[in-house]
Amino acid sequence: MGQSMKSMQELEAIRERARKAMQVRQNQEGGPVISVAMGTCGIAKGARDVMMALVDEAAKRGLDSVVVTQSGCAGYCEHEPMIKVQLPHQDAVYYGSLDERKARDVVARHLVQGEIANDYVLQLPGGEPLA
Amino acid sequence: MKELALHLLDLVENSAKAGASCISVAVHEDLGSDVLSFSVKDDGCGMDAEFLERVRDPFTTSKPKVTGLGIPFLCQAAEQAGGFVDIASVVDKGTTVHAVWKHSHWDRAPLGQMAETVTAFFAMPCRIVFDHRIVDQTGAAVWQLELDSHDFGGTPLDAGTLAALKEFLDVQYQEGRKWVNQ
């Protein structure tokens, strides 16, 4: 027994939506991209929850076109969960030691208001922010 | 890691890191033969025999400066629950990881938040072919979920679609878990 007819229809609607969004993206130059570090260290420290919070918050705020993707371990395992926010024509900003609440805050402040959420910016041992 | 769904995400991340362009992920729950298995097959860079030999060692990693540990954790999770991990790999061809548990084993960690893990697969920058099926005591297939990122126009998906997919998967998994006592 496979998936029910109703769920197949729902799934097809989601696929259709994805294909349309992909077409729009291909025709226009890059929008915002958030990548979540998903090495073993990140996963063990809650990167998946952070990713789900980012997706949920972006969708709730109508930021549908934001791309949420993943990357591997960046070598700063002690600062996981870590994300990189890349807005078009701007330098990438790295945030560290996030949780679900902070991740939602980053969406609100960085993506909606366009201000870097300084208090979560990843600080390296030398005290310099990784940005 | 407390749930097997996190181990599965970790395996898929390993495949992505190996430069895979397509990753096939299968989760099979056969309640008749009391087996839970993961199979993750990629077309990434693969591992040579010497590395394959060492990959279960917690002090092994492919990554400069970072820890690794994913495969040793998986082996531990499987072996403590009457299972095993099998890894086959060919350089430049790809790797297949097969992890097996005794489904009803007291020490088998719960599968966990599969809807979240599968949503996260669609944030990978490569093709994902996913199949999860449950077979009941009589050998009848009672639940199945099949997804191919190809049908979505490719990955990674936008946040709006990922949110819709997550909602869909939550409902599907709520149905699916009813077939399994956990």
Side-chain angles (χ1 to χ4, degrees):
Chain A
M1 193 187 80
Q3 288 153 259
S4 74
M5 189 58 88
K6 180 168 164 281
S7 73
M8 286 306 288
Q9 284 167 353
E10 281 171 11
L11 182 58
E12 187 42 38
I14 297 169
R15 288 176 185 143
E16 182 61 31
R17 174 191 180 145
R19 287 192 294 262
K20 279 186 184 149
M22 193 63 75
Q23 262 174 1
V24 171
R25 254 159 69 195
Q26 277 162 354
N27 294 332
Q28 66 187 25
E29 186 129 4
V33 178
I34 307 178
S35 59
V36 181
M38 285 261 184
T40 306
C41 47
I43 292 171
K45 286 190 79 178
R48 192 188 61 186
D49 294 340
V50 164
M51 178 183 272
M52 294 305 125
L54 291 167
V55 165
D56 185 61
E57 194 64 26
K60 269 186 188 152
R61 290 175 176 273
L63 303 170
D64 280 7
S65 63
V66 171
V67 171
V68 179
T69 185
Q70 59 85 51
S71 65
C73 171
Y76 304 106
C77 307
E78 67 276 30
H79 298 295
E80 296 288 357
M82 245 181 84
I83 66 170
K84 178 174 94 172
V85 177
Q86 176 76 64
L87 300 186
H89 313 297
Q90 291 186 26
D91 289 337
V93 179
Y94 294 83
Y95 294 105
S97 307
L98 296 180
D99 56 24
E100 289 174 63
R101 184 186 61 79
K102 291 176 182 172
R104 288 177 187 278
D105 210 24
V106 168
V107 172
R109 290 159 68 186
H110 197 146
L111 280 97
V112 178
Q113 293 168 21
E115 290 166 12
I116 293 173
N118 282 313
D119 34 341
Y120 311 142
V121 170
L122 184 61
Q123 301 283 334
L124 292 185
E128 277 199 32
L130 182 67
Chain B
M1 287 184 237
K2 287 179 181 154
E3 14 171 301
L4 300 185
L6 289 175
H7 286 284
L8 189 62
L9 183 56
D10 189 47
L11 285 176
V12 172
E13 161 60 26
N14 280 347
S15 292
K17 200 81 183 173
S21 58
C22 182
I23 308 173
S24 301
V25 184
V27 177
H28 287 178
E29 295 180 76
D30 187 333
L31 305 177
S33 51
D34 196 17
V35 165
L36 164 66
S37 71
F38 289 172
S39 164
V40 176
K41 183 172 188 283
D42 71 54
D43 58 359
C45 63
M47 295 175 278
D48 59 29
E50 190 262 341
F51 191 83
L52 200 53
E53 191 92 335
R54 293 188 291 126
V55 77
R56 290 157 197 270
D57 172 357
F59 298 102
T60 288
T61 177
S62 65
K63 300 148 196 166
K65 79 188 175 178
V66 297
T67 37
L69 283 178
I71 294 291
F73 279 159
L74 178 70
C75 292
Q76 186 185 35
E79 284 159 13
Q80 76 180 15
F84 60 89
V85 177
D86 212 32
I87 307 169
S89 192
V90 178
V91 175
D92 294 335
K93 294 279 182 217
T95 301
T96 301
V97 179
H98 193 58
V100 177
W101 289 263
K102 182 174 158 64
H103 201 295
S104 64
H105 199 288
W106 189 256
D107 290 320
R108 179 180 68 78
L111 203 46
Q113 300 295 323
M114 280 297 294
E116 295 191 1
T117 283
V118 178
T119 304
F121 289 164
F122 283 79
M124 298 278 166
C126 54
R127 183 175 178 187
I128 294 283
V129 181
F130 178 73
D131 175 27
H132 186 164
R133 55 186 70 188
I134 301 174
V135 172
D136 74 4
Q137 306 280 358
T138 66
V142 290
W143 184 85
Q144 187 174 9
L145 184 64
E146 280 181 293
L147 299 167
D148 182 342
S149 65
H150 202 68
D151 301 332
F152 291 72
T155 51
L157 299 180
D158 57 288
T161 308
L162 278 179
L165 181 62
K166 164 78 167 41
E167 206 174 308
F168 171 79
L169 290 170
D170 277 336
V171 174
Q172 296 303 307
Y173 272 101
Q174 225 168 23
E175 285 299 310
R177 296 333 285 161
K178 286 181 189 163
W179 295 99
V180 183
N181 282 329
Q182 68 161 29

